[in-house]
Amino acid sequence: MLEAFVFATILFGFFGILFKKNLVMKIIAMDVMSTGVVTYYVVIAGRDGVFTPILAESSPAGAYADPVPQAVILTAIVIGLSIQALMLVGAMKLSRDNPTLECHEIEKNNT
């Protein structure tokens, strides 16, 4: 059930990128899709019976979760935030030259 919500989030973001005409809405849709992908990895990585890989004196013996996917997801979050900030700066620069952020109007003015 949780996977269905995550998949729906990814689809909402994908269709937002395709069908929204405003650049800021496209950036937000891309962030929604990115959040869905990160959540999908978290749902897959979360398994029962494994422990967090933090060693302590009283830590139980058993299977530990692999820390590599966590590091990859943290890197993906940071890269996604950086890309979103860069796209917002680009949208700000476009808004200085164009009175609107509608994609078809910007394309019409720059051709």
Side-chain angles (χ1 to χ4, degrees):
M1 184 70 179
L2 188 59
E3 290 89 0
F5 286 120
V6 170
F7 188 66
T9 303
I10 293 171
L11 280 180
F12 282 136
F14 180 72
F15 287 122
I17 290 172
L18 287 181
F19 295 118
K20 290 293 180 183
K21 302 295 182 200
N22 192 313
L23 281 179
V24 175
M25 295 303 289
K26 284 182 180 277
I27 293 170
I28 291 172
M30 188 176 141
D31 187 51
V32 167
M33 190 170 82
S34 173
T35 301
V37 170
V38 167
T39 306
Y40 179 71
Y41 278 105
V42 170
V43 166
I44 287 177
R47 295 177 291 164
D48 291 334
V50 294
F51 301 103
T52 56
I54 300 173
L55 295 179
E57 303 240 349
S58 63
S59 61
Y64 288 97
D66 188 12
V68 173
Q70 298 170 9
V72 171
I73 291 302
L74 283 175
T75 305
I77 290 170
V78 170
I79 290 173
L81 181 69
S82 303
I83 290 173
Q84 185 179 9
L86 188 63
M87 288 190 309
L88 286 173
V89 168
M92 283 176 46
K93 286 197 173 268
L94 278 174
S95 70
R96 289 183 186 160
D97 299 334
N98 298 297
T100 180
L101 287 177
E102 300 293 320
C103 292
H104 61 280
E105 292 293 326
I106 293 172
E107 289 173 357
K108 197 184 307 178
N109 291 339
N110 291 329
T111 55

